[in-house]
Amino acid sequence: DAGVTQSPTHLIKTRGQQVTLRCSPKSGHDTVSWYQQALGQGPQFIFQYYEEEERQRGNFPDRFSGHQFPNYSSELNVNALLLGDSALYLCASRLQGGQVTQYFGPGTRLLVL
Amino acid sequence: AQSVTQLDSQVPVFEEAPVELRCNYSSSVSVYLFWYVQYPNQGLQLLLKYLSGSTLVKGINGFEAEFNKSQTSFHLRKPSVHISDTAEYFCAVCLMDSNYQLIWGAGTKLIIKP
């Protein structure tokens, strides 16, 4: 049973560039959430996708956008990168319809120079 | 507003000694409670969860936690730690009325001294 996978594992970008991060959910899961974890801090909720729609959003600017595909995989896009966007980006999946527990991938570490 | 407080940023403890990592939360709605562990340069792994029923829950690697509704706490315990328990531990609450969004504490680094 494959767990949550994310790609790439590491990424270096410069200010102003755009980045796309990818996530494949755990087998059988249909809901994907994205979190940002800055160094030394707990994760912060970015948004959640279900049925290819953004269902809920945290306190992040519009530079952060996402997409969910029919196979439930998801992308996180960040435009106009800032130094402060440097963080570990975590993807989590769960099964809609009452399952509460979220399972996390290994994360993508983004460094913005 | 909901919040999670992990009272200790770091907890040093000798190997084979017991440990308690503290977590308190504030919420106006009912919550589910979780502990996750993050090993260096890795993602988050579920340790244990409280959804309902017995307030004492057991997780992986010998950890357990007790939900105390009156004190709004969910402290994590292990009777005897091992060097391999060195990691950061995060407490999180899941709001029942919000598409199960997780709200996180700042984490506690568990440092095992040989």
Side-chain angles (χ1 to χ4, degrees), chain A residues 37 43 48 56 94 101-102, chain B residues 36 38 49 98-100:
Chain A
Q37 185 181 18
Q48 180 185 105
Q56 194 174 20
R94 68 178 179 90
T101 305
Q102 295 186 34
Chain B
Y36 284 85
Q38 188 172 39
K49 60 188 175 185
S98 69
N99 279 328
Y100 302 134

Side-chain angles (χ1 to χ4, degrees), chain B residues 1-109:
Chain B
Q2 293 79 16
S3 66
V4 178
T5 302
Q6 292 185 241
L7 296 162
D8 305 296
S9 59
Q10 290 190 44
V11 173
V13 62
F14 284 104
E15 197 169 11
E16 298 183 10
V19 69
E20 178 179 82
L21 306 183
R22 297 179 292 170
C23 173
N24 286 85
Y25 69 93
S26 170
S27 177
S28 55
V29 302
S30 295
V31 298
Y32 301 112
L33 296 152
F34 299 83
W35 277 97
Y36 284 85
V37 59
Q38 188 172 39
Y39 298 102
N41 300 312
Q42 294 188 28
L44 292 157
Q45 181 181 1
L46 179 67
L47 261 184
L48 49 77
K49 60 188 175 185
Y50 173 78
L51 304 183
S52 65
S54 172
T55 57
L56 181 65
V57 292
K58 294 188 183 299
I60 62 171
N61 302 339
F63 283 92
E64 64 180 32
E66 186 154 21
F67 170 50
N68 187 319
K69 189 173 182 179
S70 62
Q71 296 186 4
T72 60
S73 69
F74 191 53
H75 300 332
L76 181 70
R77 302 186 184 100
K78 186 170 182 177
S80 175
V81 296
H82 188 266
I83 196 77
S84 60
D85 293 323
T86 299
E88 188 149 21
Y89 292 79
F90 291 93
C91 179
V93 301
C94 175
L95 309 181
M96 291 188 187
D97 66 345
S98 69
N99 279 328
Y100 302 134
Q101 175 187 342
L102 285 171
I103 297 175
W104 297 83
T108 298
K109 285 185 182 171

Side-chain angles (χ1 to χ4, degrees), chain A:
Chain A
D1 181 17
V4 180
T5 60
Q6 292 186 244
S7 63
T9 56
H10 295 81
L11 206 49
I12 299 175
K13 293 286 189 179
T14 56
R15 280 180 298 173
Q17 285 189 309
Q18 178 264 343
V19 70
T20 297
L21 311 182
R22 295 176 177 81
C23 170
S24 290
K26 190 174 166 67
S27 177
H29 287 187
D30 56 7
T31 301
V32 172
S33 297
W34 286 91
Y35 294 83
Q36 180 196 66
Q37 185 181 18
L39 203 60
Q41 297 183 25
Q44 298 290 319
F45 174 72
I46 303 175
F47 41 53
Q48 180 185 105
Y49 275 83
Y50 171 64
E51 290 185 332
E52 302 179 48
E53 289 189 11
E54 183 183 294
R55 297 290 176 168
Q56 194 174 20
R57 188 179 184 94
N59 190 25
F60 279 80
D62 292 345
R63 298 187 297 109
F64 290 77
S65 63
H67 190 78
Q68 186 179 35
F69 299 93
N71 67 352
Y72 309 120
S73 67
S74 177
E75 287 183 349
L76 164 65
N77 301 293
V78 187
N79 293 324
L81 285 166
L82 304 174
L83 296 181
D85 295 331
S86 295
L88 180 68
Y89 288 85
L90 294 161
C91 170
S93 73
R94 68 178 179 90
L95 183 60
Q96 190 65 281
Q99 187 188 81
V100 176
T101 305
Q102 295 186 34
Y103 295 87
F104 284 80
T108 294
R109 189 163 294 281
L110 172 64
L111 177 60
V112 182
L113 301 175

